[in-house]
């Protein structure tokens, strides 16, 4: 009796062949050959009703037959089906390649090559529906396909994303403890995984768009320059410099008093004054200042009253400490005792008034006189010699020059 076959399992495969096919039928004992179309292939007769064989390479649909000494069986169709791709994950990656891309589809078991554009990729066949490929280096958007023998699958798009680039950072410096907002400008800011100040990640960051990121600078870096970079799924950018600046230190002020109207010249001493952005006397900003060096500032105080703290602000923050400045009202003279004396001078004159504590000069018609401050309300001056007649006496302090009081120089008798 001639052999008869009733089923093939499976009844299809990839054009590259190589898959196992089980043939079921009857009269299969003594099988001499198994053919897929005209192509003979290796087989093993398991019983009179079953043969196990390996599909040879092929294309299209062919008839499978078994030949025994009793003749050749009927044919059953076997289809060579090209591999097909359904998806890629991820669909993009770094231009340098090296990342794993999962290809899913059908009839992938016999795949022999995987292409990303013109470049071959290393791959592993996981199953008939999955391949894991290692993306080669590339650029732009390329077609990904797989081949099994002479059959090539459909193509899916894969995009190579260049590593991000940094062009600028603003501001370029900030306080040593961090916490300030910094804007990064560049390209390729998509899929951002991190912003780093040296090895320290930014406290937080926001991708504004593909060319701008705002980041909160972290603490933890030493004073001085640190390299800032951006990391995305496509790689790490070049670095730009950012300076971590300690807060300024204010140690002294001279003079420590001045007029309520402000405008006088004051010298501040300390450290870290380079890049000073403002100087405050209490809540009021000084109208002008000059950075003489990293250790000295020349300042014109604003108007004010009372005793106020003085602070210096730089990119590193605002100084702390106990340096203060006292606004002094101009002194006021209310009386002179005596209000006259010999033109030859040498006599003591008591000036009474207010605001006399910091008296620096007592003047008789422009001529300085020796003096002693007794209290905030009294100064004793030694009248200088001068022409007979009335003269104006004034007292000067850091708060200004007082009103004038009249003192009369008396000519000696007989002159």
């Amino acid at each position: 009796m001639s052999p008869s076959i009733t089923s093939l399992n499976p009844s299809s495969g990839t054009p590259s062949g190589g898959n196992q096919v089980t043939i079921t039928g009857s009269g299969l004992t003594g099988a001499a050959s198994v053919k897929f179309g005209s192509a003979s292939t290796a087989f093993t007769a398991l019983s009179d009703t079953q043969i196990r064989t390996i599909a040879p390479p092929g294309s299209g649909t062919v008839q499978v037959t078994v030949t025994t000494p009793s003749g050749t069986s009927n044919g059953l169709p076997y289809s060579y089906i090209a591999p097909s791709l359904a998806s890629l994950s991820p669909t993009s990656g770094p231009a340098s390649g090296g990342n794993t891309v999962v290809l899913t589809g059908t009839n992938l078991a016999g795949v022999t090559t995987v292409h990303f554009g013109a470049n071959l990729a290393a791959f592993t066949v996981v199953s008939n529906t999955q391949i894991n490929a290692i993306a080669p280096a590339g650029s732009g958007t390329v077609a990904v396909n797989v081949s099994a023998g002479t059959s090539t699958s459909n193509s899916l798009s894969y995009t190579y994303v260049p590593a991000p680039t940094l062009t600028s950072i603003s501001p370029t410096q900030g306080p040593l403890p961090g916490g300030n907002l910094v804007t990064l400008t560049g390209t390729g800011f998509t899929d951002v995984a991190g912003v780093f100040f040296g090895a320290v990640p930014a406290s937080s960051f926001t991708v504004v768009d593909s060319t701008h990121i705002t980041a909160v600078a972290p603490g933890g870096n030493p004073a001085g320059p640190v390299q800032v970079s951006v990391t995305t799924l496509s790689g790490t950018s070049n670095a730009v410099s950012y300076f971590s600046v300690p807060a300024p230190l204010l140690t002294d002020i001279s003079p420590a008093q001045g007029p309520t109207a402000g405008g006088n010249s004051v010298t501040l001493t300390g450290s870290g004054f380079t890049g000073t952005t403002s100087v405050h006397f209490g809540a009021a900003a000084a109208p002008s200042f000059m950075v003489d060096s990293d250790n000295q500032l020349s300042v014109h105080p604003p108007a004010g009253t009372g005793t106020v703290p003085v602070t210096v602000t730089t990119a590193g923050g605002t100084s702390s400490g106990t340096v203060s400045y006292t606004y002094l009202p101009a002194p006021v003279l209310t009386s002179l005792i005596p209000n006259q004396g010999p033109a030859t001078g040498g006599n003591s004159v008591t000036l009474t008034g207010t605001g006399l504590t910091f008296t620096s000069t007592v003047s008789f018609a422009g001529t300085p006189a020796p003096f002693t401050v007794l209290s905030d309300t009294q100064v004793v001056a030694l009248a200088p010699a001068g022409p007979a007649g009335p003269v104006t006496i004034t007292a000067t302090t850091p708060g200004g020059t007082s009103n004038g009081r009249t003192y009369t120089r008396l000519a000696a008798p007989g002159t």
Side-chain angles (χ1 to χ4, degrees):
M1 176 188 296
S2 296
S4 172
I5 58 176
T6 56
S7 67
L8 304 177
N9 184 26
S11 60
S12 63
T14 60
S16 59
N19 56 303
Q20 183 175 275
V21 177
T22 299
I23 303 172
T24 301
S26 60
L28 303 181
T29 300
S33 69
V34 175
K35 290 186 176 181
F36 283 65
S38 60
S40 297
T41 186
F43 66 93
T44 300
L46 302 178
S47 66
D48 190 61
T49 60
Q50 199 169 70
I51 289 175
R52 184 175 297 157
T53 187
I54 301 298
S59 61
T61 299
V62 298
Q63 296 296 309
V64 176
T65 58
V66 176
T67 299
T68 71
S70 301
T72 298
S73 72
N74 57 304
L76 291 179
Y78 180 87
S79 297
Y80 288 98
I81 303 173
S84 175
L85 291 179
S87 69
L88 305 177
S89 180
T91 58
S92 62
S96 58
N99 54 305
T100 298
V101 178
V102 177
L103 290 64
T104 59
T106 57
N107 300 305
L108 303 181
V111 165
T112 54
T113 60
V114 176
H115 278 83
F116 281 65
N119 297 321
L120 285 170
F123 67 94
T124 300
V125 175
V126 178
S127 68
N128 196 46
T129 59
Q130 180 179 325
I131 290 175
N132 293 346
I134 304 300
S139 61
T141 299
V142 298
V144 177
N145 55 53
V146 299
S147 296
T150 59
S151 296
T152 299
S153 72
N154 58 306
S155 296
L156 296 178
S157 294
Y158 180 85
T159 301
Y160 285 101
V161 181
T165 60
L166 271 180
T167 56
S168 67
I169 185 169
S170 178
T172 57
Q173 55 184 1
L176 193 60
N180 56 308
L181 193 65
V182 175
T183 298
L184 308 178
T185 301
T187 60
F189 296 160
T190 56
D191 299 320
V192 175
V195 176
F196 291 86
F197 287 67
V200 183
S203 301
S204 64
F205 66 88
T206 300
V207 178
V208 179
D209 53 40
S210 63
T211 59
H212 295 89
I213 295 172
T214 56
V216 176
N221 281 306
V226 61
Q227 299 303 303
V228 180
S229 61
V230 174
T231 298
T232 71
L233 298 181
S234 300
T236 299
S237 72
N238 58 301
V240 295
S241 293
Y242 174 84
F243 287 81
S244 295
V245 182
L249 176 65
L250 181 56
T251 58
D252 193 25
I253 183 169
S254 179
Q257 306 94 14
T260 56
N264 55 307
S265 183
V266 172
T267 299
L268 304 182
T269 304
S271 62
F273 293 160
T274 300
T276 294
T277 55
S278 67
V279 178
H280 280 77
F281 286 68
S288 65
F289 63 87
M290 178 178 293
V291 179
D292 302 321
S293 69
D294 193 61
N295 304 107
Q296 181 174 299
L297 290 171
S298 296
V299 185
H300 292 101
T305 58
T307 298
V308 296
V310 180
T311 57
V312 176
T313 300
T314 69
T318 298
S319 65
S320 59
T322 57
V323 172
S324 60
Y325 180 82
T326 301
Y327 286 100
L328 300 175
V332 176
L333 291 182
T334 57
S335 67
L336 304 176
I337 299 175
N339 60 6
Q340 60 183 8
T344 55
N347 57 305
S348 293
V349 178
T350 299
L351 289 67
T352 300
T354 59
L356 301 177
T357 298
F358 299 103
T359 297
S360 56
T361 304
V362 174
S363 173
F364 283 65
T367 300
F371 67 91
T372 300
V373 176
L374 300 182
S375 68
D376 191 62
T377 60
Q378 279 195 338
V379 171
V380 175
L382 194 64
V391 296
T392 299
I393 297 180
T394 59
T396 299
T397 73
T401 298
S402 72
N403 58 305
R405 302 297 295 186
T406 300
Y407 176 84
T408 302
R409 290 190 179 116
L410 302 174
T415 61

